[in-house]
Amino acid sequence: MLNNTALLPQLQVFLAVARLRSFSGAARELGVSTPAVSQAVRLLEEQLRVVLLTRTTRSVSLTDAGRRLMESAGPALGQTLAALSEVSARPGETVGRIRLSVPRVAVPYVIAPVVSPFRARHPRVELEVVIDDRFVDIVEEGYDAGVRLSEAIERDMVQVRLTGAFRLVVVGAPSYLARHGTPQRPEDLLRHECITFRAQTTGTLYAWELERGRRNWRVPVRGGVVTNDSPLRVSLAEQGLGLAYVVEPVVAEQLREGRLVRVLEAYAPTVPGFFLYYPSRAQRSPALRLFVDAAKELAVHEIGGLPRGP
């Protein structure tokens, strides 16, 4: 017969390994040795009489049994540990840990202005901010919440608006346009040198999305440089290497100073803004509720010259 209470420490270790896909990463997070992590997982597998993890020299992956255990036990254990932290706090104090997945482009607007004031108000709430531009399954990968554009968020998530709407624009340096001309229609981009980027989720080159009225274009642009780093795309565009497709607030200074100019501005799509999102069950986390309130208050609400919506 299983001793469920005795399994709790081993289960916590297993969930850390499953979330991080790494024994050494789990060891660092839990403050124990890697052999101790391996031993805890082995004991858990022996007591449950199932294999939970498939290990190779290069990777760790979940078996079907391991995946089902993570999905079922992970949220419940998290709530249990949070509750234990809460009862150890002083009256009126919140204790906890929040793990966030955030795209790089959103950091200056919805993370950088929030972290310092939030930590000053709630010093016993730890924040882990992971910068990742791919689409992330925050439940499967062990995040409490994420930040994304609204169209990239699953329908069953709670969404909290943090910024107003802004545009995605095509920009180029005056020197590039003087040499190659200015595109007048979306199809003209196919004849231009474009600084492209690859979607990390699919591995394919991103087709630039443009719109005018009810018509939409997805233009499969090409160029001699591919990079997933937005600052590098902007820098190369300033140097006249080609056209770039960027979030408009990112190039506000370059546009104001004339180092870059917008092209195809009539076709620039507007997106609703950045949203904080999380599973509905996470609303029970006092630490996350406090962070949501702080983010709504402190994020840069009007980042594109367009007012924040309701």
Side-chain angles (χ1 to χ4, degrees), residues 17 182 191 244 302:
V17 175
T182 301
R191 297 190 292 272
E302 297 184 18

Side-chain angles (χ1 to χ4, degrees), residues 6 17 22 24 41 46 88 101 120 123 137-138 184 191 201 209 247 258 265 267 281-282 293 302 310:
V17 175
S22 168
S24 58
V41 172
E46 288 179 355
S88 69
S101 172
D137 185 329
I138 60 172
Q184 301 299 317
R191 297 190 292 272
T201 306
E209 299 180 62
V247 171
E265 187 171 6
Y267 298 88
R281 67 169 181 272
D293 291 342
E302 297 184 18

